[in-house]
Amino acid sequence: MPETRPVPFRGGGFRPQTRRWVGLVVFAALIALAEWGTRTGWISNLTLPRPSDVLATFGELWESGLLFKHLGPSLSRLAVGAALGASVGISVGVLIGLFSYVRAGLVPLVAALFPIPKIALLPLFVIWFGIDEGSKYALIAFGTFTPTVVATYGAVDNVDRTLIRMGQSFGLGWWSIVRKIVLPGAMPGILSGLRVSLAIAIILLVAAEMLGAEYGIGAYILEAGSLYDLERLFAGVVILSVLGVAVSAAITQIEKRLLNWRN
Amino acid sequence: MAPRGRAHCPGRTRMELRLSKVSHAYGGTEVLRDITLTIPEGRIVCIVGPSGCGKSTLLRMMGGLERPDAGEILQVGAPPEGCLNPLTYVFQDFALLPWRTVAGNISLALEDHRLGRTRQDEIIADVLARTGLSDFAGALPRQLSGGMKQRVAIARALAVNPAVMLLDEPLSALDAQTRELLMDDLIGLWTRAPFTAVYVTHNLAEAVRLGHAIVVLSRRPGAIREVVEIDEPLETRDMSHPDLAAKQQHLWQLMRDEARAADAELAHA
Ligand SMILES: Nc1ncnc2c1ncn2[C@@H]1O[C@H](COP(=O)(O)OP(=O)(O)O)[C@@H](O)[C@H]1O
Ligand SMILES: [Mg+2]
């Protein structure tokens, strides 16, 4: 009898699926490891604070009302700066995508601005916009602006040209084509760019608050750091992570609403 | 829905499309040579020719999406009353906005004309009914089969009540059965309300089924080799009839040498 066996399976994979709990398990495992290590003395208390202590610090922060005193200004700086940077970035990105002259003029400029660590410009912003909120808004806005521009004009370039020709063939006006064809077509790319931009905005928020801010997560972390108060430092860092996760979740929600036509 | 009936009303102005000595080249490549052609009102003119001979280019020029290097394309007479977009395309790849529903895709063509909400909804309901899509008004394009998508594109074209419909291989992306069904649909639409159309295809069976006149283009640079007229009315065309079979055979003779030569050229290029 000839050799008989099932055809070996070699398909599958390359298709990310939602596995929500895996992320939580990884988080929980790492925290449990740190807790166990610091309790048994395998990790010294100077290397890493004990997670339960960080939690306690967080509790104090909450009860004293200091949490919101720090979080409030930070959130408003983030909101104003990021909204400014993202909206100007999207507008400029669309203009670059649509007009050859704007593209020729601004793409090299954006390429030159992109790699500058924006934090290095903070002193300049302080001179231009003052030590108060102005310089913080400007830093966050500027940092969000460049990645948003790049993502937006890339997304506009990728809009299906046959759809634009279709719009023209029905006699749609320029503004109608931009509003009804180009912008919705570019939306997936713009939103995924926004994900990156907003993470950068959080990084810059902390940087800005490390200079001349009485309240704010950044100021809180800076103070804890200069005292080598690891519990408070970590409490601050955890707040930032939670902020990042929240922003990312918000964008996922927006994508679900705006891009439900994709599947 | 009487106001949209646009069959031959007496005294109505007519519009036809006239091309004279149209030539075009892309860079150094001559694509079209000396095309002179009239698209008469109320008839379907099919354009056939081997792939790459300039059919799509010619159609883009007829619709004003591209300018020819030489020659002119004239719109003679006024478009019919209530016409929102005299020269209207149906594209091979449907060109539907994936983020709009079926009704939304049709309303895209109407929104800029400020017809008012009720008039717009009336038109949409009318064209959906005419293309058998009434039950799909709220569906998104990704939920539809290829044939349904092309029906939506045809409905969208009908919505603007065009003087001339420009169809670029509208059935080429569909499977054979769907193609048959859509051809029947097109014939039904034309019989109930005759429209003027230029229908580009590389499929001779489609041309013989739908064309009142069939323009055969040579391989690139596309020039008119012959214009074959078919007098048999669309609704009674029986493809097994010897006359039609002979016409198709004749077209195939014309096309075969061109297609073979064009094929060899592409292989060398
Ligand atoms: N925008 C363009 N730029 C340069 N060459 C083009 C362009 N459009 C079409 N061509 C060339 O012109 C020739 C005719 O193209 P097309 O009109 O699409 O042919 P068909 O529709 O008959 O297959 C082809 O060789 C094609 O490569
Ligand atoms: Mg073509």
Side-chain angles (χ1 to χ4, degrees), chain A residues 170-186:
Chain A
F170 277 97
L172 264 62
W174 183 86
W175 178 235
S176 279
I177 290 180
V178 171
R179 209 158 37 95
K180 296 172 185 172
I181 300 177
V182 174
L183 280 181

Side-chain angles (χ1 to χ4, degrees), chain B residues 24-27 29-32 49-60 66 92 168-169 200 202 217 220 266:
Chain B
H24 192 71
Y26 285 118
T29 319
E30 194 182 1
V31 177
L32 291 169
S51 162
C53 76
K55 304 183 293 293
S56 299
T57 308
L58 187 61
L59 204 66
R60 281 200 298 277
E66 213 167 315
Q92 176 176 353
D168 192 357
E169 310 214 14
V200 166
H202 61 249
L217 292 187
R220 200 178 65 208
L266 289 177

Side-chain angles (χ1 to χ4, degrees), chain A residues 124-213:
Chain A
L124 193 64
F125 285 142
V126 170
I127 296 170
W128 286 355
F129 303 104
I131 189 94
D132 299 329
E133 299 301 292
S135 59
K136 297 177 179 60
Y137 294 156
L139 182 71
I140 297 168
F142 193 42
T144 341
F145 170 77
T146 34
T148 310
V149 170
V150 173
T152 304
Y153 81 71
V156 171
D157 286 351
N158 277 334
V159 173
D160 191 350
R161 296 294 121 165
T162 59
L163 293 181
I164 295 177
R165 291 282 168 271
M166 181 275 294
Q168 291 176 324
S169 80
F170 277 97
L172 264 62
W174 183 86
W175 178 235
S176 279
I177 290 180
V178 171
R179 209 158 37 95
K180 296 172 185 172
I181 300 177
V182 174
L183 280 181
M187 201 45 84
I190 292 177
L191 285 178
S192 67
L194 223 46
R195 225 176 249 286
V196 177
S197 314
L198 291 182
I200 293 175
I202 295 177
I203 296 174
L204 290 173
L205 166 72
V206 177
E209 287 178 343
M210 287 186 169
L211 193 87

Side-chain angles (χ1 to χ4, degrees), chain A residues 162-163 165-166 168-173 176 180-181 184-185 260-263, chain B residues 85 87-89 91 93 95-100 108-109 111-112 140 142 156:
Chain A
T162 59
L163 293 181
R165 291 282 168 271
M166 181 275 294
Q168 291 176 324
S169 80
F170 277 97
L172 264 62
S176 279
K180 296 172 185 172
I181 300 177
N260 66 347
W261 49 271
R262 282 201 307 186
N263 286 320
Chain B
N85 189 45
L87 304 166
T88 298
Y89 282 90
F91 298 89
D93 55 2
L96 300 177
L97 301 183
W99 50 87
R100 285 195 178 216
L108 178 82
E111 286 159 11
D112 276 17
L140 285 170
R142 71 174 153 85
R156 178 178 61 188

Side-chain angles (χ1 to χ4, degrees), chain A residues 95-110 153:
Chain A
L95 292 179
I96 289 178
L98 294 176
F99 298 105
S100 312
Y101 276 104
V102 180
R103 172 179 301 244
L106 291 188
V107 168
L109 186 65
V110 171
Y153 81 71

